[in-house]
Amino acid sequence: MPANNQAERQYAAEVLLVEWLGLSVQYQFGETAFAAELTLDNGNRLLLEDHFFSTFPSPLSYLKAGNIPQQIFNAVQATNPFLPEKDLPILFGNDHLDISPTEITCGIDIFAATFFMLTRWEEYVLPDRDLHERFPAKASLAGKNGFLHRPVVNEMVEMLWGMLMHLGIGQKRKNRQFEVLLTHDVDEALLWRSLGFFLKKLGGDLVKRLDFHAVGFDLKSYYNTRFNGEKDPYDTFDYLMRCADRNSLQCHFFFLSGGNTKFDSPLTLTSPFMCQLFKSIEANGHIIGLHPSYNTLKDSNLFTQEKEALELATGLPIRHGRHHFLRFEVPTTWQAWEDQGMVWDSTLYYAEQPGFRCGVCYAFPVFNFLTRQKLRLKEVPLTAMEVSWTSYLKVSPDEMLNDMMQLHETVRKYNGTFVLLWHNSSFNTSEWKAFAKVYEKLLEKQTV
C-alpha cells in the first residue's frame, strides 16, 4: 500500500482481511499507484485502484464535507460477476474491472469505502443534527442515496473474497455463523414506582392528551398492581429471560443508572426490587450492561460515575452497553468508552430509520480518526429497535414484523449478527399491547 495515510489504510485492510476474513497478511508500504496490491502465495495479484487517500497526502486533510461523494453510481452483476447482489453502490472509484486467471484490477476502492462507512467521519464533517443532537439518517450518504437498508460493506467483503478465490488463494476464510443478540434498554424498571407518578401520568393522559383509553388502563393497571398481586407492566424481566432461554439466546439488559434531565428516569439501584432483579439476571446466565444517561454524551465524568454506580450495585464488572436515546458523537463517544475499559458498544443505529448505519452487520474494532488509532473497543451495530416502527414510522404490527424479518434475512445471508433492541417497557401498556406479539414471532423465526 502507499505510505501516505498509512494508519487509515492499514485499519481498513486489517478489518477486511484479518478481522472479518481471518487471513494471514503481511504489509509493505511504498511506491504504488494502487490503494492496495494484494499478492497471493501463488504469485497472482489483486490490484485495487486508489480513488481517495492518494489525493490527500497530509494526515486528516480528507476531513472536509466536500470530500463526501456527491453522486453514487452502481456496479452491476452483469459486468462484475463477483457481486453478491444485482448491483453495488460505488462510494469511491468506478466499475472498471479487468479479469485474467492471474490478475484482477478493480476500480472500486474497497478500502476507502470501508473506512468511510465504519469510522463515520461523515458525521464529524457534516453539521446536521436532530433535536437530541443526533446525526440524522436523512443527512447520511446512505440515507440520501437509498442504500441504508443494505450492508454494503458486507457486500464488498463478499466481492473481495470472490476475487481472491478466482485468483486461487490458498488460505481458508474465517468461519462465521448467523447469530441473534437480544438487548433490552432499561430506561424504567417499573411503571408504577410511586403514587405520585401514578397521579402525574393519570393527569397527563386525562388533561393533556385526552386519552381516555389510557386513563382506563392507568386505573385498572395501578389497582391490580397495588392490590391484586399483578406484576408491574414494566416488570417483564422474567418473561424476557424465558423467551431467550426457549430460543437458546442470551439477554443483555442495559440499565440507566443516573441522569438529571427530563429524558432520564434514573433507577434506584439499591431498592429491594433492583437488588433482586440483578441477582436473578446473573443467576440465569444473562448479562447486565450500562445505559449511559442523556448528558453523558458530553460529560465523561458523569459516564464514569454511572458506570461505577452500576458496578457497585451489581458487584459485577460492566463492559457492554448502549447510550440513552442513541446519542452518539464521533469519535469522542467511542473514545470515552475506550477510556472506561468497555469491551463493546451497540449505539450505532438511526432511531428514525432502521438499517445499517455503518454499512455492516459484523462487529468491528473502532478507529479514532482524530488520533489515528485503532481502539480495543468494538462496535456491535444495532440492527432493529422496536420504537423506530411505532414512534417514527408509525406502522402496523404486521408491517413491523415484515420489515424486521427482511432485515433478519439480510443479516442471515451474510452470516452476521442481528442485534435487536426491545425495551422491557414495550409490552403491557395500552399503546404496546398490539405490538407485543411481534417480539415472540420474531424470536421464533430468528432461530429457524
PDB file of all heavy atoms in Angstrom, residues 3 74 99 162 192 194 211-212 217 307 357:
ATOM      1  N   ALA A   3       2.438   4.825   1.223  1.00  0.00           N
ATOM      2  CA  ALA A   3       2.872   5.159   2.580  1.00  0.00           C
ATOM      3  C   ALA A   3       2.061   6.296   3.188  1.00  0.00           C
ATOM      4  O   ALA A   3       2.070   6.472   4.406  1.00  0.00           O
ATOM      5  CB  ALA A   3       4.350   5.523   2.571  1.00  0.00           C
ATOM      6  N   ASN A  74     -23.645   2.773  -9.560  1.00  0.00           N
ATOM      7  CA  ASN A  74     -23.684   1.357  -9.205  1.00  0.00           C
ATOM      8  C   ASN A  74     -22.864   0.506 -10.156  1.00  0.00           C
ATOM      9  O   ASN A  74     -22.921   0.711 -11.377  1.00  0.00           O
ATOM     10  CB  ASN A  74     -25.125   0.835  -9.216  1.00  0.00           C
ATOM     11  CG  ASN A  74     -25.923   1.305  -8.010  1.00  0.00           C
ATOM     12  OD1 ASN A  74     -25.355   1.766  -7.033  1.00  0.00           O
ATOM     13  ND2 ASN A  74     -27.224   1.189  -8.085  1.00  0.00           N
ATOM     14  N   ILE A  99     -10.197  -8.807 -15.677  1.00  0.00           N
ATOM     15  CA  ILE A  99     -10.039 -10.131 -15.076  1.00  0.00           C
ATOM     16  C   ILE A  99      -9.207 -11.025 -15.968  1.00  0.00           C
ATOM     17  O   ILE A  99      -9.477 -11.146 -17.171  1.00  0.00           O
ATOM     18  CB  ILE A  99     -11.410 -10.806 -14.848  1.00  0.00           C
ATOM     19  CG1 ILE A  99     -12.352  -9.893 -14.073  1.00  0.00           C
ATOM     20  CG2 ILE A  99     -11.248 -12.126 -14.112  1.00  0.00           C
ATOM     21  CD1 ILE A  99     -13.774 -10.417 -13.979  1.00  0.00           C
ATOM     22  N   GLY A 162     -14.574 -13.166  -3.355  1.00  0.00           N
ATOM     23  CA  GLY A 162     -14.785 -13.792  -4.656  1.00  0.00           C
ATOM     24  C   GLY A 162     -13.605 -13.572  -5.599  1.00  0.00           C
ATOM     25  O   GLY A 162     -13.193 -14.490  -6.321  1.00  0.00           O
ATOM     26  N   TRP A 192     -45.295   1.812  37.798  1.00  0.00           N
ATOM     27  CA  TRP A 192     -45.948   2.392  38.978  1.00  0.00           C
ATOM     28  C   TRP A 192     -44.967   2.424  40.141  1.00  0.00           C
ATOM     29  O   TRP A 192     -45.097   1.722  41.120  1.00  0.00           O
ATOM     30  CB  TRP A 192     -47.202   1.597  39.326  1.00  0.00           C
ATOM     31  CG  TRP A 192     -48.145   1.422  38.176  1.00  0.00           C
ATOM     32  CD1 TRP A 192     -48.650   0.269  37.690  1.00  0.00           C
ATOM     33  CD2 TRP A 192     -48.693   2.471  37.365  1.00  0.00           C
ATOM     34  NE1 TRP A 192     -49.484   0.503  36.615  1.00  0.00           N
ATOM     35  CE2 TRP A 192     -49.526   1.861  36.389  1.00  0.00           C
ATOM     36  CE3 TRP A 192     -48.565   3.867  37.340  1.00  0.00           C
ATOM     37  CZ2 TRP A 192     -50.219   2.572  35.426  1.00  0.00           C
ATOM     38  CZ3 TRP A 192     -49.244   4.590  36.371  1.00  0.00           C
ATOM     39  CH2 TRP A 192     -50.072   3.952  35.439  1.00  0.00           C
ATOM     40  N   SER A 194     -44.415   4.927  42.140  1.00  0.00           N
ATOM     41  CA  SER A 194     -44.905   5.663  43.300  1.00  0.00           C
ATOM     42  C   SER A 194     -46.318   6.147  43.027  1.00  0.00           C
ATOM     43  O   SER A 194     -46.745   6.240  41.875  1.00  0.00           O
ATOM     44  CB  SER A 194     -44.001   6.871  43.603  1.00  0.00           C
ATOM     45  OG  SER A 194     -44.130   7.849  42.577  1.00  0.00           O
ATOM     46  N   ASP A 211     -56.597  11.152  26.423  1.00  0.00           N
ATOM     47  CA  ASP A 211     -56.568   9.747  26.002  1.00  0.00           C
ATOM     48  C   ASP A 211     -57.337   8.926  27.052  1.00  0.00           C
ATOM     49  O   ASP A 211     -56.766   8.448  28.024  1.00  0.00           O
ATOM     50  CB  ASP A 211     -55.120   9.271  25.884  1.00  0.00           C
ATOM     51  CG  ASP A 211     -54.998   7.891  25.264  1.00  0.00           C
ATOM     52  OD1 ASP A 211     -56.008   7.153  25.245  1.00  0.00           O
ATOM     53  OD2 ASP A 211     -53.893   7.533  24.808  1.00  0.00           O
ATOM     54  N   PHE A 212     -58.634   8.760  26.823  1.00  0.00           N
ATOM     55  CA  PHE A 212     -59.465   8.096  27.821  1.00  0.00           C
ATOM     56  C   PHE A 212     -59.206   6.591  27.875  1.00  0.00           C
ATOM     57  O   PHE A 212     -59.419   5.958  28.908  1.00  0.00           O
ATOM     58  CB  PHE A 212     -60.940   8.394  27.533  1.00  0.00           C
ATOM     59  CG  PHE A 212     -61.258   9.864  27.628  1.00  0.00           C
ATOM     60  CD1 PHE A 212     -61.469  10.612  26.489  1.00  0.00           C
ATOM     61  CD2 PHE A 212     -61.293  10.485  28.861  1.00  0.00           C
ATOM     62  CE1 PHE A 212     -61.745  11.975  26.583  1.00  0.00           C
ATOM     63  CE2 PHE A 212     -61.575  11.849  28.973  1.00  0.00           C
ATOM     64  CZ  PHE A 212     -61.794  12.600  27.819  1.00  0.00           C
ATOM     65  N   PHE A 217     -56.698   2.302  31.295  1.00  0.00           N
ATOM     66  CA  PHE A 217     -55.573   1.401  31.551  1.00  0.00           C
ATOM     67  C   PHE A 217     -54.857   1.778  32.843  1.00  0.00           C
ATOM     68  O   PHE A 217     -54.521   0.913  33.662  1.00  0.00           O
ATOM     69  CB  PHE A 217     -54.588   1.427  30.387  1.00  0.00           C
ATOM     70  CG  PHE A 217     -53.269   0.764  30.698  1.00  0.00           C
ATOM     71  CD1 PHE A 217     -53.131  -0.607  30.598  1.00  0.00           C
ATOM     72  CD2 PHE A 217     -52.180   1.511  31.139  1.00  0.00           C
ATOM     73  CE1 PHE A 217     -51.929  -1.226  30.919  1.00  0.00           C
ATOM     74  CE2 PHE A 217     -50.978   0.903  31.460  1.00  0.00           C
ATOM     75  CZ  PHE A 217     -50.862  -0.470  31.354  1.00  0.00           C
ATOM     76  N   LYS A 307     -21.155   4.363  35.560  1.00  0.00           N
ATOM     77  CA  LYS A 307     -20.576   3.027  35.433  1.00  0.00           C
ATOM     78  C   LYS A 307     -20.186   2.492  36.806  1.00  0.00           C
ATOM     79  O   LYS A 307     -20.480   1.330  37.146  1.00  0.00           O
ATOM     80  CB  LYS A 307     -19.361   3.067  34.517  1.00  0.00           C
ATOM     81  CG  LYS A 307     -18.638   1.732  34.343  1.00  0.00           C
ATOM     82  CD  LYS A 307     -17.533   1.870  33.304  1.00  0.00           C
ATOM     83  CE  LYS A 307     -16.782   0.548  33.123  1.00  0.00           C
ATOM     84  NZ  LYS A 307     -15.853   0.277  34.229  1.00  0.00           N
ATOM     85  N   ARG A 357     -26.325   1.655   9.704  1.00  0.00           N
ATOM     86  CA  ARG A 357     -25.660   2.964   9.786  1.00  0.00           C
ATOM     87  C   ARG A 357     -24.187   2.867   9.418  1.00  0.00           C
ATOM     88  O   ARG A 357     -23.628   3.784   8.803  1.00  0.00           O
ATOM     89  CB  ARG A 357     -25.827   3.519  11.198  1.00  0.00           C
ATOM     90  CG  ARG A 357     -25.236   4.893  11.434  1.00  0.00           C
ATOM     91  CD  ARG A 357     -25.720   5.429  12.754  1.00  0.00           C
ATOM     92  NE  ARG A 357     -25.109   6.686  13.141  1.00  0.00           N
ATOM     93  CZ  ARG A 357     -25.488   7.410  14.200  1.00  0.00           C
ATOM     94  NH1 ARG A 357     -26.480   6.975  14.961  1.00  0.00           N
ATOM     95  NH2 ARG A 357     -24.883   8.539  14.503  1.00  0.00           N
TER      96      ARG A 357
END
